């Protein structure tokens, strides 16, 4: 089931990008920066809020990823199928792509911190 949802996400993102390529090219730089900033804020706020209430590191990491990785597939589906506005799928499509990059960078940062603390 997990692979099916990943496949569906990929198909929806490709559909959104292809059908609205001119808009993607025009607005992706603006939307992209907002998406990356929102994702980083989500990841970091989830992590540090959990640490602030003294949750253990594994729980803080899980909360950070739960808050930071959103369901872009659902947003894209609603934009295209429910609202009938493919151009409204640009922001969630860019977010869906960028959240994995920022999530990977966040994970790398966490691993780096762990290595620094381990003697």
């Amino acid at each position: 089931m997990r692979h099916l949802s990943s496949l569906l996400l990929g198909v929806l993102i490709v559909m959104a990008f292809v059908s609205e390529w001119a808009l993607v090219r025009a607005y992706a730089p603006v939307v992209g920066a907002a998406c990356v900033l929102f994702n980083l804020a989500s990841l970091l706020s989830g992590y540090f809020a959990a640490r602030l209430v003294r949750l253990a590191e594994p729980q803080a990491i899980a909360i950070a990823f739960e808050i930071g990785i959103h369901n872009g597939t659902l947003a894209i589906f609603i934009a295209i199928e429910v609202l009938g506005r493919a151009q409204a799928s640009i922001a969630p499509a860019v977010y869906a792509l960028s959240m994995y990059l920022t999530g990977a960078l966040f994970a790398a940062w966490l691993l780096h911190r762990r290595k620094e603390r381990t003697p």
Side-chain angles (χ1 to χ4, degrees):
M1 185 59 130
R2 185 179 217 186
H3 297 323
L4 181 61
S5 64
S6 295
L7 178 63
L8 179 60
L9 170 63
V11 169
L12 287 173
I13 290 172
V14 168
M15 283 175 42
F17 272 76
V18 170
S19 68
E20 297 297 329
W21 182 245
L23 286 173
V24 169
R25 284 188 27 195
Y27 294 109
V30 175
V31 173
C35 289
V36 169
L37 289 175
F38 176 67
N39 185 246
L40 287 174
S42 298
L43 288 165
L44 293 172
S45 66
Y47 178 79
F48 287 114
R51 296 301 286 162
L52 186 65
V53 296
R54 297 196 166 116
L55 291 178
E57 181 85 4
Q59 286 83 10
I61 292 169
I63 289 170
F65 279 103
E66 184 63 32
I67 292 171
I69 305 299
H70 301 282
N71 193 341
T73 307
L74 180 61
I76 294 167
F77 175 80
I78 290 171
I80 294 171
E81 297 298 327
V82 177
L83 299 176
R85 299 194 56 180
Q87 65 270 27
S89 67
I90 293 170
V94 170
Y95 187 88
L97 293 173
S98 68
M99 73 180 174
Y100 292 112
L101 174 62
T102 54
L105 292 173
F106 182 70
W109 175 72
L110 291 169
L111 288 172
H112 178 70
R113 284 174 32 108
R114 180 179 288 171
K115 286 179 184 178
E116 284 182 343
R117 286 186 274 159
T118 305

